[in-house]
Amino acid sequence: MNHYSYSDLKIGQTECFTVKIEDRMLASFRNITGDVNPLHMNDDFAQGNGYAGCVVYGMLTASFLSTLAGVYLPGERSLIQSIESKFVNPVYVGDELTIRGIILALNDTVKQIEIKVEIKNQNGIKVLRGKMKVGVTGEA
């Protein structure tokens, strides 16, 4: 876990991490949310709608943005204030995702950073893009 304080952060600073999507993640997400849409549970249904198989929940994919802010950029001092995300390609079980954030702007008045975010799969295909505004709490 990173321990960046606001004064440590710079425009252009980047952090990233990877995660492999597993069946158990979909099951946990389904149990928490109650989302039983067959697109996420039934290969035949998903294939009949033009996908290679069951599609991973978009919000499960987007949930890794919480990890990006809370663990990596800025880390323990983060307070997510807004997230804008676009799902640009499907994610499937077995995909290895790289979650990346780069600081676009610093707001010294409110100690807030704006982060450009993107998630790509193991083939370098972008599956999510967006921006986050994250407050940075307390100085070390």
Side-chain angles (χ1 to χ4, degrees):
M1 173 173 295
N2 287 329
H3 310 283
Y4 293 123
S5 62
Y6 183 79
S7 61
D8 294 329
L9 301 169
K10 308 288 180 237
I11 292 174
Q13 189 170 341
T14 303
E15 293 283 347
C16 68
F17 67 99
T18 60
V19 63
K20 186 168 183 171
I21 302 298
E22 300 175 0
D23 280 318
R24 66 177 175 76
M25 294 172 170
L26 272 71
S28 293
F29 191 89
R30 182 171 43 254
N31 289 336
I32 291 167
T33 65
D35 185 346
V36 293
N37 185 311
L39 184 64
H40 308 297
M41 301 174 54
N42 183 306
D43 278 327
D44 292 335
F45 181 87
Q47 290 168 355
N49 284 280
Y51 297 97
C54 290
V55 176
V56 171
Y57 297 95
M59 294 307 291
L60 173 60
T61 301
S63 73
F64 294 111
L65 299 179
S66 179
T67 307
L68 178 65
V71 177
Y72 295 95
L73 192 60
E76 70 180 5
R77 293 184 176 90
S78 73
L79 178 61
I80 295 173
Q81 297 170 334
S82 69
I83 297 176
E84 172 191 316
S85 62
K86 297 186 187 312
F87 306 103
V88 294
N89 281 294
V91 174
Y92 300 100
V93 170
D95 280 353
E96 184 171 285
L97 304 179
T98 299
I99 298 88
R100 178 180 313 276
I102 181 170
I103 297 177
L104 294 178
L106 299 165
N107 183 326
D108 295 340
T109 303
V110 294
K111 294 187 178 174
Q112 180 190 70
I113 59 176
E114 183 176 339
I115 304 170
K116 175 184 174 182
V117 295
E118 67 177 24
I119 301 178
K120 292 183 179 181
N121 68 16
Q122 66 281 356
N123 298 316
I125 297 171
K126 192 177 295 184
V127 299
L128 181 148
R129 61 183 163 85
K131 290 183 181 175
M132 296 174 51
K133 290 188 178 179
V134 179
V136 183
T137 64
E139 289 292 314

